[in-house]
Amino acid sequence: MPRYRLRMDLQLFAGEKTEKATPKKRKESRDKGQVAKSAEIPSTLILLACISFLVMLGPFLEKQLLSLVGDAFLNRLNMEVTDQNVLALFTHYALRMLILLSPIFLIVVVIAFASNYVQIGWLFTLEPLKPKFDKLNPINGAKNIFGPRSLVEFLKSSLKLTSVALIVFTVLWSEKSRLLDLAHLPVQDIFAFVTTLTVRLGIFIAALLFILAIGDYIYQRYEYEKKLRMSKQDVKDEYKNIEGDPLIKAKIKERQRRMALMRMMQEVPKADVIITNPTHFAVALKYDSTKMDAPTVVAKGQDYMALRIREIAKQNNVITMENKPLARALFERTDVGQSVPADLFQAVAEVLAYVYRLKGRR
């Protein structure tokens, strides 16, 4: 019973997602559009930038708007009302308004792109746009509504609402004496005071929301890393998929080694001489002056393989010669298919000359 319980505990431990995500899984998640980012950062930066833009260019925009409205009252009231005149008038005003608001549009686009690029880099994928029918499942929908993520979003919204309300109350309470005196001020001063107060509220609220957005990004990053975690078994399976099953790779290597040995053994009957140790090493040499610059090792082996080489040579009437130092040097310093090292030319040439004399060749 304890052994069975220990096995179950090991299986549960292997299934726990305790490992960091591998680069492969991160890439697959990114290709699907699943990245760690906060939607609050672009919106708060856009709000802060627009308020700053209005503060800097407020007088200029005020003059342009007054001239636009003044043109309507001073020059357009006596205009003949026709389709062409009305269309031309609205086109003219629409173009002027577009020119006035174009810097704000440009700021919005630049900040939205820059803030997303800083968070996730360059990413373009259509994967999130693909229809997913599992989202239509009411059970999954209920889990999403009452899940921990929905609770976090509710708490986040409540925190933002409470913070904004606290800032508005604090700022208005600090100006309560001036608010009570507005009834005794001219309209121009009232508008100036309200504008200043609105700008202050906007800057404070945008700064606070930006701080909360940074916290939201940290939380999104944590949730993303937690979601990407893998179990030890997942890491092993991925490694097998990438590198291949170790058992299959071992079998492939074994088969390749056997095929190489078979090809090597097929070259033994073509050798000119077999140089032996005499029992531990055997090296088969071949030399063809029309094809080779130097004698070449066509086969070599140790112990059992050396015995097999000698047997095949004997069956095919290949001359075998015992030369312990030369056999050991050739076995250790050359591979199958390589030429004999230059410092062994003399010794090998003497062996081949002796073999050629035995065969009656010059």
Side-chain angles (χ1 to χ4, degrees):
M1 187 68 178
R3 184 179 300 174
Y4 174 75
R5 184 175 299 171
L6 177 61
R7 189 183 303 120
M8 292 295 294
D9 292 340
L10 289 175
Q11 291 177 354
L12 289 175
F13 178 74
E16 291 181 354
K17 296 185 176 182
T18 57
E19 305 299 315
K20 290 185 177 181
T22 59
K24 180 175 180 294
K25 184 168 184 180
R26 291 181 183 277
K27 184 178 182 304
E28 291 176 350
S29 176
R30 184 178 177 82
D31 292 340
K32 294 179 181 178
Q34 300 173 357
V35 291
K37 69 173 183 177
S38 173
E40 307 293 335
I41 292 180
S43 59
T44 54
L45 287 178
I46 289 172
L47 176 60
L48 189 60
C50 290
I51 293 175
S52 302
F53 174 80
L54 292 176
V55 170
M56 290 185 295
L57 298 181
F60 172 75
L61 293 177
E62 180 184 5
K63 291 180 180 179
Q64 295 297 321
L65 288 175
L66 288 177
S67 66
L68 194 64
V69 175
D71 178 73
F73 284 99
L74 295 176
N75 303 321
R76 307 294 180 176
L77 292 179
N78 297 326
M79 180 186 69
E80 183 179 357
V81 179
T82 61
D83 295 340
Q84 292 80 7
N85 292 340
V86 172
L87 181 60
L89 178 64
F90 276 102
T91 303
H92 173 70
Y93 285 160
L95 288 176
R96 291 191 61 180
M97 289 297 296
L98 183 62
I99 293 173
L100 288 177
L101 298 178
S102 58
I104 297 179
F105 295 152
L106 182 61
I107 290 174
V108 170
V109 172
V110 171
I111 291 181
F113 178 80
S115 57
N116 282 285
Y117 182 79
V118 170
Q119 291 186 82
I120 62 175
W122 174 254
L123 177 62
F124 179 77
T125 177
L126 299 177
E127 190 70 23
L129 300 179
K130 292 183 179 180
K132 296 179 180 179
F133 297 101
D134 56 343
K135 293 183 178 181
L136 301 178
N137 190 341
I139 298 178
N140 294 336
K143 290 181 179 179
N144 294 332
I145 293 175
F146 300 102
R149 187 174 184 85
S150 299
L151 178 61
V152 171
E153 292 296 329
F154 173 75
L155 294 176
K156 185 173 65 175
S157 301
S158 301
L159 179 61
K160 289 194 295 184
L161 183 62
T162 304
S163 302
V164 171
L166 183 61
I167 286 179
V168 172
F169 174 78
T170 303
V171 173
L172 293 180
W173 186 258
S174 65
E175 299 288 344
K176 61 179 181 179
S177 58
R178 295 189 63 184
L179 288 173
L180 296 176
D181 294 337
L182 289 180
H184 307 288
L185 296 177
V187 176
Q188 186 174 0
D189 293 342
I190 294 176
F191 276 112
F193 172 74
V194 171
T195 302
T196 304
L197 187 63
T198 303
V199 170
R200 283 180 58 194
L201 285 173
I203 293 176
F204 288 154
I205 291 173
L208 176 65
L209 291 180
F210 180 72
I211 295 174
L212 295 178
I214 296 296
D216 179 62
Y217 174 75
I218 296 174
Y219 170 75
Q220 297 294 340
R221 190 90 185 163
Y222 166 76
E223 281 291 317
Y224 177 74
E225 293 293 335
K226 183 180 178 181
K227 184 179 179 181
L228 284 183
R229 284 179 187 171
M230 304 171 66
S231 64
K232 294 183 181 296
Q233 188 62 38
D234 293 336
V235 176
K236 291 180 180 178
D237 293 340
E238 182 178 295
Y239 176 78
K240 287 182 180 179
N241 293 331
I242 296 175
E243 301 294 335
D245 194 332
L247 296 176
I248 296 176
K249 291 178 67 178
K251 290 181 180 180
I252 293 174
K253 289 182 178 180
E254 178 64 21
R255 180 169 296 181
Q256 291 175 346
R257 188 179 67 85
R258 289 182 180 180
M259 294 177 64
L261 290 176
M262 289 176 60
R263 288 194 298 267
M264 185 179 71
M265 290 303 179
Q266 292 173 359
E267 295 295 325
V268 173
K270 305 175 184 179
D272 293 322
V273 64
I274 308 297
I275 302 176
T276 64
N277 196 18
T279 57
H280 294 296
F281 301 106
V283 179
L285 295 176
K286 180 178 177 61
Y287 179 60
D288 186 350
S289 60
T290 61
K291 299 179 181 179
M292 304 174 184
D293 295 331
T296 303
V297 176
V298 295
K300 71 174 187 176
Q302 184 178 7
D303 296 332
Y304 174 74
M305 290 301 302
L307 177 61
R308 285 291 301 151
I309 290 173
R310 292 197 302 270
E311 290 177 352
I312 296 175
K314 185 177 180 180
Q315 294 171 3
N316 293 274
N317 298 321
V318 179
I319 297 175
T320 301
M321 291 190 61
E322 179 180 340
N323 189 327
K324 295 180 181 180
L326 182 59
R328 179 178 289 274
L330 289 172
F331 183 84
E332 293 178 351
R333 297 174 56 186
T334 58
D335 292 328
V336 176
Q338 285 186 346
S339 300
V340 173
D343 57 336
L344 299 178
F345 280 177
Q346 182 66 30
V348 172
E350 292 176 359
V351 171
L352 290 177
Y354 176 73
V355 171
Y356 292 157
R357 284 197 299 270
L358 291 180
K359 293 183 177 181
R361 295 166 57 184
R362 293 186 181 274

